[in-house]
Amino acid sequence: MQDILINWAPQETRVAIVENGAVQELHIERALERGLVGNIYLGKVARVLPGMQSAFIDIGLERAAFLHVADLVGHSRFEPGGNGNGHTPVPIERQVFEGQSLMVQVIKDPIGTKGARLSTQISIAGRLLVHLPQDDHIGISQKIGSHELREQLRQRMQALVGTRETGGGGGFILRTNAEDATDAELADDIAYGRKTWATIRERAFSVPPGTLLHQDLNLAERVLRDLSNEQTASIRIDSRLQFDHLKAFGQEFTPGAVGKLELYKGERPIFDLYNIDTEIERALARRVDLKSGGYLIIDQTEALTTIDVNTGGFVGARNFDDTIFKTNLEAAGAIARQLRLRNLGGIIIVDFIDMARDEHQSAVLGEFRKQLGRDRTKTTVSGFTQLGLVEMTRKRTRESLAHMLCEPCPTCGGRGQVKTARSVCYDVLREILREARQFNPKEFRVVASAAVVEMLLDEESPHLAGLSEFIGKPISLSAEPTMNPEQYDIVLL
């Protein structure tokens, strides 16, 4: 069973999903930095890029958003051509043009230097269904069990949806929690999706490009719609105002979750119940310690995330092979949890400790896939490569926890390391020599951090004196406490 804790403040909402006393997922939404996934805009085509089969769309954000031909409604349309079967896909430059107004939906938040990813295939999420107004397809969540049950649900939905000729139609996908829904509940969700779509379409005719037509629910509301399930024992929130709002929202849209909603009245902050703030600090650290004494090293880069598993101080098993095997088994569960906690996405490379026995490799891979099966975000695991690495991907739709809460260090620029004081000293000496060849001041003054000045006065003083004699000018030193270790200035006096 799981508990969901909601810590609400006007500027920030934080949600933690806790299972067996351990935090499994963290979700953070800030009022001034709210995510865009699910938002629907009236956009304007700013530029078409035939070479990339993409277009940049202005939706009123700081950066233009990105639309690929595969995300266009009807992208699978073909025209006569010569690719072997007599047909070739219609290129994007034949489907959109600069200045055109397009209704688009954000499917991936802006991440790093990349703009938002868009689709013209609009989807409107309800409690039980996702409405696809431009489609006529009836889909069923893959997590819903047997083939017979899926067919029954599909037939029920087709009867409820009807056809466009009879005033119905439209596409719908049944969410996992619709498995036991009644026809009346499904009909209510169908009506909600159609009503929302009608409002969006009507608004699109009367507003200029760059306008937000529809905004997805806030994080607290999405807890009831998306995060709560049959495994949820309680949903506790520490704000009376938001508790009343969620109760009213839940009674209308998610009646099954309302009974689990509780107002937290404790004196301690709600996140102190499970030391969640401490868990957030750990989720920002590079090193993750395992109970056995082993540890993980997690490095997040622009291209991919690497995770290295080490035995550390674990020597408890009977032999070395068993020690490695048990460390890797524990690491498999810990890595799956860290991926959820940190919301790491994209390409992920896991370097488990090398295992000599094939059955150990298979067991670790099986455990890893089992643990990843609990992830609500789509993951794909490719297995061990020839180098003994596990390659996997995790769908990335929003910023990772580290990117949301942190920024690159102003001292090292995100490298994670700075030059030594000696390296900076030698940079200073070279710069003085370069300046002496171009200018003829009375004196050179070096302004640098205390550590650099101290080294120039101590260990590097012979080299400084030798340079002063060589250029025939005095060199004075000045320590500046506000300078970072790599900064320095050469002042000509």
Side-chain angles (χ1 to χ4, degrees), residues 83-99:
N83 65 344
N85 57 8
H87 294 86
T88 185
V90 179
I92 193 167
E93 62 269 26
R94 297 274 300 280
Q95 300 190 58
V96 301
F97 54 87
E98 288 186 17

PDB file of all heavy atoms in Angstrom, residues 83-99:
ATOM      1  N   ASN A  83       9.144   4.869 -53.830  1.00  0.00           N
ATOM      2  CA  ASN A  83       9.979   4.272 -52.780  1.00  0.00           C
ATOM      3  C   ASN A  83       9.814   2.754 -52.724  1.00  0.00           C
ATOM      4  O   ASN A  83      10.011   2.147 -51.685  1.00  0.00           O
ATOM      5  CB  ASN A  83       9.635   4.889 -51.413  1.00  0.00           C
ATOM      6  CG  ASN A  83       8.206   4.568 -50.978  1.00  0.00           C
ATOM      7  OD1 ASN A  83       7.398   4.144 -51.804  1.00  0.00           O
ATOM      8  ND2 ASN A  83       7.911   4.775 -49.712  1.00  0.00           N
ATOM      9  N   GLY A  84       9.415   2.183 -53.851  1.00  0.00           N
ATOM     10  CA  GLY A  84       9.349   0.727 -53.901  1.00  0.00           C
ATOM     11  C   GLY A  84       7.925   0.217 -53.856  1.00  0.00           C
ATOM     12  O   GLY A  84       7.596  -0.769 -54.494  1.00  0.00           O
ATOM     13  N   ASN A  85       7.020   0.898 -53.130  1.00  0.00           N
ATOM     14  CA  ASN A  85       5.637   0.428 -53.081  1.00  0.00           C
ATOM     15  C   ASN A  85       4.692   1.422 -53.771  1.00  0.00           C
ATOM     16  O   ASN A  85       3.481   1.343 -53.626  1.00  0.00           O
ATOM     17  CB  ASN A  85       5.182   0.202 -51.628  1.00  0.00           C
ATOM     18  CG  ASN A  85       5.319   1.464 -50.788  1.00  0.00           C
ATOM     19  OD1 ASN A  85       5.614   2.527 -51.313  1.00  0.00           O
ATOM     20  ND2 ASN A  85       5.099   1.310 -49.492  1.00  0.00           N
ATOM     21  N   GLY A  86       5.287   2.384 -54.492  1.00  0.00           N
ATOM     22  CA  GLY A  86       4.461   3.320 -55.246  1.00  0.00           C
ATOM     23  C   GLY A  86       3.963   4.489 -54.443  1.00  0.00           C
ATOM     24  O   GLY A  86       3.204   5.300 -54.964  1.00  0.00           O
ATOM     25  N   HIS A  87       4.333   4.591 -53.182  1.00  0.00           N
ATOM     26  CA  HIS A  87       3.877   5.696 -52.348  1.00  0.00           C
ATOM     27  C   HIS A  87       5.026   6.231 -51.497  1.00  0.00           C
ATOM     28  O   HIS A  87       5.936   5.494 -51.130  1.00  0.00           O
ATOM     29  CB  HIS A  87       2.736   5.256 -51.425  1.00  0.00           C
ATOM     30  CG  HIS A  87       1.484   4.896 -52.156  1.00  0.00           C
ATOM     31  ND1 HIS A  87       1.267   3.627 -52.663  1.00  0.00           N
ATOM     32  CD2 HIS A  87       0.395   5.639 -52.478  1.00  0.00           C
ATOM     33  CE1 HIS A  87       0.081   3.608 -53.265  1.00  0.00           C
ATOM     34  NE2 HIS A  87      -0.475   4.803 -53.159  1.00  0.00           N
ATOM     35  N   THR A  88       4.964   7.521 -51.200  1.00  0.00           N
ATOM     36  CA  THR A  88       5.976   8.138 -50.337  1.00  0.00           C
ATOM     37  C   THR A  88       5.273   9.073 -49.365  1.00  0.00           C
ATOM     38  O   THR A  88       4.260   9.684 -49.718  1.00  0.00           O
ATOM     39  CB  THR A  88       7.010   8.905 -51.193  1.00  0.00           C
ATOM     40  OG1 THR A  88       8.037   9.402 -50.343  1.00  0.00           O
ATOM     41  CG2 THR A  88       6.382  10.075 -51.929  1.00  0.00           C
ATOM     42  N   PRO A  89       5.741   9.187 -48.108  1.00  0.00           N
ATOM     43  CA  PRO A  89       5.065  10.059 -47.138  1.00  0.00           C
ATOM     44  C   PRO A  89       5.055  11.512 -47.599  1.00  0.00           C
ATOM     45  O   PRO A  89       6.000  11.979 -48.237  1.00  0.00           O
ATOM     46  CB  PRO A  89       5.915   9.898 -45.863  1.00  0.00           C
ATOM     47  CG  PRO A  89       6.681   8.636 -46.059  1.00  0.00           C
ATOM     48  CD  PRO A  89       6.895   8.500 -47.530  1.00  0.00           C
ATOM     49  N   VAL A  90       3.965  12.226 -47.293  1.00  0.00           N
ATOM     50  CA  VAL A  90       3.877  13.649 -47.647  1.00  0.00           C
ATOM     51  C   VAL A  90       4.850  14.421 -46.768  1.00  0.00           C
ATOM     52  O   VAL A  90       4.766  14.359 -45.538  1.00  0.00           O
ATOM     53  CB  VAL A  90       2.441  14.178 -47.446  1.00  0.00           C
ATOM     54  CG1 VAL A  90       2.384  15.669 -47.791  1.00  0.00           C
ATOM     55  CG2 VAL A  90       1.458  13.396 -48.301  1.00  0.00           C
ATOM     56  N   PRO A  91       5.812  15.161 -47.344  1.00  0.00           N
ATOM     57  CA  PRO A  91       6.785  15.892 -46.516  1.00  0.00           C
ATOM     58  C   PRO A  91       6.129  17.044 -45.765  1.00  0.00           C
ATOM     59  O   PRO A  91       5.061  17.531 -46.156  1.00  0.00           O
ATOM     60  CB  PRO A  91       7.810  16.402 -47.534  1.00  0.00           C
ATOM     61  CG  PRO A  91       7.072  16.449 -48.822  1.00  0.00           C
ATOM     62  CD  PRO A  91       6.061  15.347 -48.785  1.00  0.00           C
ATOM     63  N   ILE A  92       6.785  17.497 -44.705  1.00  0.00           N
ATOM     64  CA  ILE A  92       6.190  18.525 -43.844  1.00  0.00           C
ATOM     65  C   ILE A  92       5.985  19.840 -44.592  1.00  0.00           C
ATOM     66  O   ILE A  92       4.999  20.547 -44.352  1.00  0.00           O
ATOM     67  CB  ILE A  92       7.047  18.736 -42.573  1.00  0.00           C
ATOM     68  CG1 ILE A  92       6.257  19.561 -41.539  1.00  0.00           C
ATOM     69  CG2 ILE A  92       8.386  19.397 -42.898  1.00  0.00           C
ATOM     70  CD1 ILE A  92       6.865  19.561 -40.152  1.00  0.00           C
ATOM     71  N   GLU A  93       6.872  20.156 -45.558  1.00  0.00           N
ATOM     72  CA  GLU A  93       6.729  21.424 -46.283  1.00  0.00           C
ATOM     73  C   GLU A  93       5.497  21.449 -47.180  1.00  0.00           C
ATOM     74  O   GLU A  93       5.073  22.513 -47.651  1.00  0.00           O
ATOM     75  CB  GLU A  93       7.995  21.737 -47.096  1.00  0.00           C
ATOM     76  CG  GLU A  93       8.332  20.735 -48.186  1.00  0.00           C
ATOM     77  CD  GLU A  93       9.258  19.632 -47.695  1.00  0.00           C
ATOM     78  OE1 GLU A  93       9.243  19.346 -46.468  1.00  0.00           O
ATOM     79  OE2 GLU A  93       9.982  19.059 -48.534  1.00  0.00           O
ATOM     80  N   ARG A  94       4.913  20.258 -47.412  1.00  0.00           N
ATOM     81  CA  ARG A  94       3.660  20.183 -48.183  1.00  0.00           C
ATOM     82  C   ARG A  94       2.437  20.204 -47.271  1.00  0.00           C
ATOM     83  O   ARG A  94       1.311  20.210 -47.772  1.00  0.00           O
ATOM     84  CB  ARG A  94       3.664  18.896 -49.009  1.00  0.00           C
ATOM     85  CG  ARG A  94       4.761  18.786 -50.058  1.00  0.00           C
ATOM     86  CD  ARG A  94       4.355  19.444 -51.375  1.00  0.00           C
ATOM     87  NE  ARG A  94       3.148  18.809 -51.913  1.00  0.00           N
ATOM     88  CZ  ARG A  94       3.152  17.651 -52.584  1.00  0.00           C
ATOM     89  NH1 ARG A  94       4.310  17.037 -52.823  1.00  0.00           N
ATOM     90  NH2 ARG A  94       2.030  17.152 -53.038  1.00  0.00           N
ATOM     91  N   GLN A  95       2.679  20.168 -45.949  1.00  0.00           N
ATOM     92  CA  GLN A  95       1.554  20.113 -45.005  1.00  0.00           C
ATOM     93  C   GLN A  95       1.399  21.383 -44.175  1.00  0.00           C
ATOM     94  O   GLN A  95       0.284  21.728 -43.775  1.00  0.00           O
ATOM     95  CB  GLN A  95       1.728  18.915 -44.056  1.00  0.00           C
ATOM     96  CG  GLN A  95       1.770  17.573 -44.770  1.00  0.00           C
ATOM     97  CD  GLN A  95       1.708  16.408 -43.789  1.00  0.00           C
ATOM     98  OE1 GLN A  95       0.759  16.285 -43.016  1.00  0.00           O
ATOM     99  NE2 GLN A  95       2.712  15.548 -43.806  1.00  0.00           N
ATOM    100  N   VAL A  96       2.498  22.070 -43.889  1.00  0.00           N
ATOM    101  CA  VAL A  96       2.409  23.327 -43.139  1.00  0.00           C
ATOM    102  C   VAL A  96       3.246  24.392 -43.842  1.00  0.00           C
ATOM    103  O   VAL A  96       4.156  24.070 -44.611  1.00  0.00           O
ATOM    104  CB  VAL A  96       2.895  23.161 -41.671  1.00  0.00           C
ATOM    105  CG1 VAL A  96       2.080  22.127 -40.935  1.00  0.00           C
ATOM    106  CG2 VAL A  96       4.381  22.815 -41.604  1.00  0.00           C
ATOM    107  N   PHE A  97       2.944  25.675 -43.567  1.00  0.00           N
ATOM    108  CA  PHE A  97       3.686  26.765 -44.198  1.00  0.00           C
ATOM    109  C   PHE A  97       3.872  27.894 -43.191  1.00  0.00           C
ATOM    110  O   PHE A  97       3.118  28.006 -42.205  1.00  0.00           O
ATOM    111  CB  PHE A  97       2.951  27.268 -45.443  1.00  0.00           C
ATOM    112  CG  PHE A  97       1.513  27.668 -45.190  1.00  0.00           C
ATOM    113  CD1 PHE A  97       1.195  28.965 -44.767  1.00  0.00           C
ATOM    114  CD2 PHE A  97       0.477  26.743 -45.343  1.00  0.00           C
ATOM    115  CE1 PHE A  97      -0.111  29.330 -44.526  1.00  0.00           C
ATOM    116  CE2 PHE A  97      -0.843  27.114 -45.097  1.00  0.00           C
ATOM    117  CZ  PHE A  97      -1.141  28.404 -44.683  1.00  0.00           C
ATOM    118  N   GLU A  98       4.881  28.707 -43.402  1.00  0.00           N
ATOM    119  CA  GLU A  98       5.180  29.804 -42.489  1.00  0.00           C
ATOM    120  C   GLU A  98       4.005  30.770 -42.398  1.00  0.00           C
ATOM    121  O   GLU A  98       3.392  31.118 -43.405  1.00  0.00           O
ATOM    122  CB  GLU A  98       6.442  30.553 -42.943  1.00  0.00           C
ATOM    123  CG  GLU A  98       7.713  29.752 -42.729  1.00  0.00           C
ATOM    124  CD  GLU A  98       8.971  30.549 -43.053  1.00  0.00           C
ATOM    125  OE1 GLU A  98       8.877  31.790 -43.131  1.00  0.00           O
ATOM    126  OE2 GLU A  98      10.035  29.918 -43.233  1.00  0.00           O
ATOM    127  N   GLY A  99       3.698  31.174 -41.162  1.00  0.00           N
ATOM    128  CA  GLY A  99       2.582  32.086 -40.933  1.00  0.00           C
ATOM    129  C   GLY A  99       1.267  31.385 -40.667  1.00  0.00           C
ATOM    130  O   GLY A  99       0.286  32.020 -40.260  1.00  0.00           O
TER     131      GLY A  99
END
